[in-house]
Amino acid sequence: MRALVLGSGVIGTSSAWYLSRAGFEVTVVDREPGPARETSFANAGQISPGYAAPWAAPGVPLKALKWLFSRHAPLVIKPGLDPHQYIWLLQMLRNCTAARYAVNKARMLRLARYSAECLNELADEFGIDYEARKLGTLQLFRTQAQLDAAASDIAVLDQYGVSYELLDRAGILGVEPALADVVDQFIGALRLPNDQTGDCELFTRLLAERARNAGVEFRFNATVEAIEASGDRIAGVRIDGKAERADQYVLALGSYTPRLLAPLGIRLPVYPLKGYSLTVPITDAAMAPVSTLLDETYKVAVTRFDRRIRAGGTAGVCGYDLSLPARRRATLEKVVAGLFPRGGDPKQGEFWTGLRPATPDGTPVIGSTKYKNLFLNTGHGTLGWTMACGSGRYLADLMAGAMPHIRSEGLDVSRYGWHRGSAPRMPSHQHDAANGFAVSG
């Protein structure tokens, strides 16, 4: 059985790896010269299942209005002429209720926790060194309102048995001593000790090497032009003017996936959520972060690699724009310099942007379509790295006809009411095991 995977970011590469393990003959196609050259290239580096949460949350509409007048706003909306932008925003607004937020966060957490277990299993098996640090994530609160607002997230963490700690200033310093000069700016923090960090691009390259050694074919510098359908099946994919045929097809092209699906009559509500990062060389290791911090005020994550600090943030609703505005860099510099003034020099940092494929409800779209041999793995938003391995393994199980290790409910495109997928439904007696996120089997 031959599978053609379109896209070699962390999602596509993870899909290819697990499909190969499931017995498929796999070919991966990408327009870039190597894996993880676009959205996966310089993300914030977080693997944070506990912080898996949708941007669509109660209070966000009011905050968005205030952010319109903020120089360092975490959410930036740039109106354009694309009607899909406004449709997506309206869909997102409909998800900004407490009830929808709870459902969406639970779905995301289900997948993210499973993915973390898959990643750990994979890393242990191969000894992949992607500058990983298993030292947790720290969410910093500057106001009592921010701390109070975290109560709903904490309730979900309790529901799913996710370990966490609420810290005062002394507790913050116990975890991140380099914050000593600025800790008075914070009233408290939420720590998830089981979260980890890593270089997503490095991980993807290393996994691609192992996949290639296992027989997966990678074709780079190849442009996917169109998908051709015949009846209820995909007949082939046109790549650089030539038809490529396989038994099954996977679209893992991130924000560009909807463009290929539209001619097939599939309206996928995935929109590019523009993000930025700044990678700074460490000048004083003792004054740099130990692991990852999230500044709740600016929605910026600051992550420690071996010899680098990376700050990532901002959600820009502005289409496929890849420009690098100086004011967005200024926000990242402000956060890094404000938290770790002696850890690194932000002026020496490498500024980058990527388009994160986001659904209006936050949950990715993984699974079957109305075409029997076409599958999707996209829409992970700001959590592609966090959810990659679990998404790839889950999809491979579906395509191989095996029972997934987590529930399928709410993960495929059928939740939008446009297509009822044919994904296997887990028997009720397996629900408890699935909620336990068992990986072996």
Side-chain angles (χ1 to χ4, degrees):
M1 183 77 70
R2 183 164 183 255
L4 185 64
V5 178
L6 307 182
S8 71
V10 68
I11 301 298
T13 300
S14 297
S15 300
W17 169 257
Y18 285 107
L19 283 169
S20 177
R21 278 204 157 181
F24 287 83
E25 176 188 342
V26 184
T27 298
V28 181
V29 178
D30 198 288
R31 65 184 179 184
E32 296 292 337
R37 301 299 298 176
E38 295 194 34
T39 303
S40 301
F41 183 71
N43 66 14
Q46 297 169 259
I47 306 163
S48 301
Y51 285 110
W55 274 84
V60 165
L62 181 59
K63 290 179 182 178
L65 290 175
K66 296 178 179 178
W67 288 333
L68 289 175
F69 307 100
S70 172
R71 176 173 176 78
H72 301 291
L75 177 64
V76 178
I77 300 174
K78 184 179 179 181
L81 299 177
D82 182 5
H84 294 99
Q85 180 187 49
Y86 301 99
I87 294 171
W88 187 88
L89 284 170
L90 285 173
Q91 291 174 317
M92 178 183 173
L93 287 174
R94 293 193 190 108
N95 280 278
C96 290
T97 67
R100 292 306 308 165
Y101 179 82
V103 170
N104 295 332
K105 182 176 176 66
R107 288 172 175 171
M108 296 171 72
L109 188 58
R110 182 204 321 160
L111 178 60
R113 289 190 67 193
Y114 173 61
S115 188
E117 292 193 8
C118 292
L119 172 62
N120 289 337
E121 188 179 79
L122 193 59
D124 289 344
E125 178 180 355
F126 290 114
I128 299 175
D129 182 8
Y130 51 93
E131 300 190 26
R133 287 172 174 254
K134 299 183 179 182
L135 298 171
T137 304
L138 190 68
Q139 186 176 13
L140 296 167
F141 303 116
R142 297 178 186 267
T143 68
Q144 186 63 43
Q146 291 174 349
L147 182 58
D148 293 341
S152 60
D153 287 336
I154 291 173
V156 176
L157 298 179
D158 282 329
Q159 177 185 352
Y160 283 87
V162 179
S163 299
Y164 68 88
E165 302 169 303
L166 284 171
L167 304 179
D168 57 13
R169 288 170 178 162
I172 291 173
L173 290 182
V175 175
E176 289 285 355
L179 292 174
D181 293 341
V182 299
V183 72
D184 289 345
Q185 298 178 23
F186 306 102
I187 65 164
L190 173 65
R191 180 172 182 256
L192 298 182
N194 295 327
D195 282 5
Q196 57 178 294
T197 63
D199 186 325
C200 180
E201 185 269 340
L202 177 58
F203 169 83
T204 307
R205 276 197 291 112
L206 294 173
L207 183 60
E209 288 178 10
R210 282 157 177 77
R212 188 181 291 107
N213 292 337
V216 175
E217 178 187 4
F218 285 84
R219 296 184 189 172
F220 297 115
N221 299 305
T223 301
V224 178
E225 298 170 345
I227 299 174
E228 300 170 348
S230 177
D232 63 356
R233 299 184 65 84
I234 298 304
V237 177
R238 192 167 68 248
I239 302 171
D240 291 331
K242 297 180 181 179
E244 184 78 22
R245 307 195 186 285
D247 299 299
Q248 300 198 50
Y249 302 83
V250 176
L251 263 68
L253 291 170
S255 298
Y256 297 92
T257 302
R259 292 184 169 184
L260 284 172
L261 289 176
L264 300 175
I266 299 176
R267 296 175 297 150
L268 183 67
V270 167
Y271 191 83
L273 204 61
K274 188 178 182 181
Y276 304 89
S277 74
L278 185 69
T279 306
V280 179
I282 292 175
T283 54
D284 185 341
M287 301 307 296
V290 171
S291 187
T292 291
L293 303 91
L294 291 171
D295 190 317
E296 181 62 18
T297 298
Y298 300 100
K299 303 290 187 183
V300 169
V302 181
T303 299
R304 169 73 176 267
F305 295 149
D306 287 354
R307 293 181 293 276
R308 300 166 295 158
I309 300 170
R310 178 170 292 160
T314 303
V317 185
C318 47
Y320 292 84
D321 173 27
L322 287 170
S323 63
L324 289 165
R327 65 187 300 178
R328 303 301 162 216
R329 175 175 182 137
T331 298
L332 300 177
E333 289 187 359
K334 176 181 175 66
V335 173
V336 174
L339 295 177
F340 303 101
R342 291 183 283 167
D345 182 4
K347 298 299 181 184
Q348 299 179 36
E350 296 180 15
F351 190 33
W352 172 89
T353 188
L355 302 177
R356 300 167 296 198
T359 62
D361 55 16
T363 306
V365 178
I366 313 169
S368 61
T369 69
K370 66 180 183 180
Y371 297 96
K372 293 182 178 180
N373 59 342
L374 177 63
F375 296 81
L376 306 179
N377 196 356
T378 188
H380 297 75
T382 59
L383 294 164
W385 182 204
T386 295
M387 296 181 172
C389 291
S391 297
R393 184 167 182 179
Y394 169 81
L395 182 66
D397 285 340
L398 290 181
M399 293 174 64
M403 186 62 66
H405 295 269
I406 58 172
R407 290 183 294 114
S408 298
E409 182 276 322
L411 296 183
D412 68 16
V413 75
S414 70
R415 71 178 185 268
Y416 297 111
W418 299 329
H419 160 62
R420 292 295 167 189
S422 57
R425 298 298 177 185
M426 190 167 290
S428 58
H429 71 273
Q430 291 192 20
H431 280 192
D432 290 341
N435 284 332
F437 309 99
V439 176
S440 60

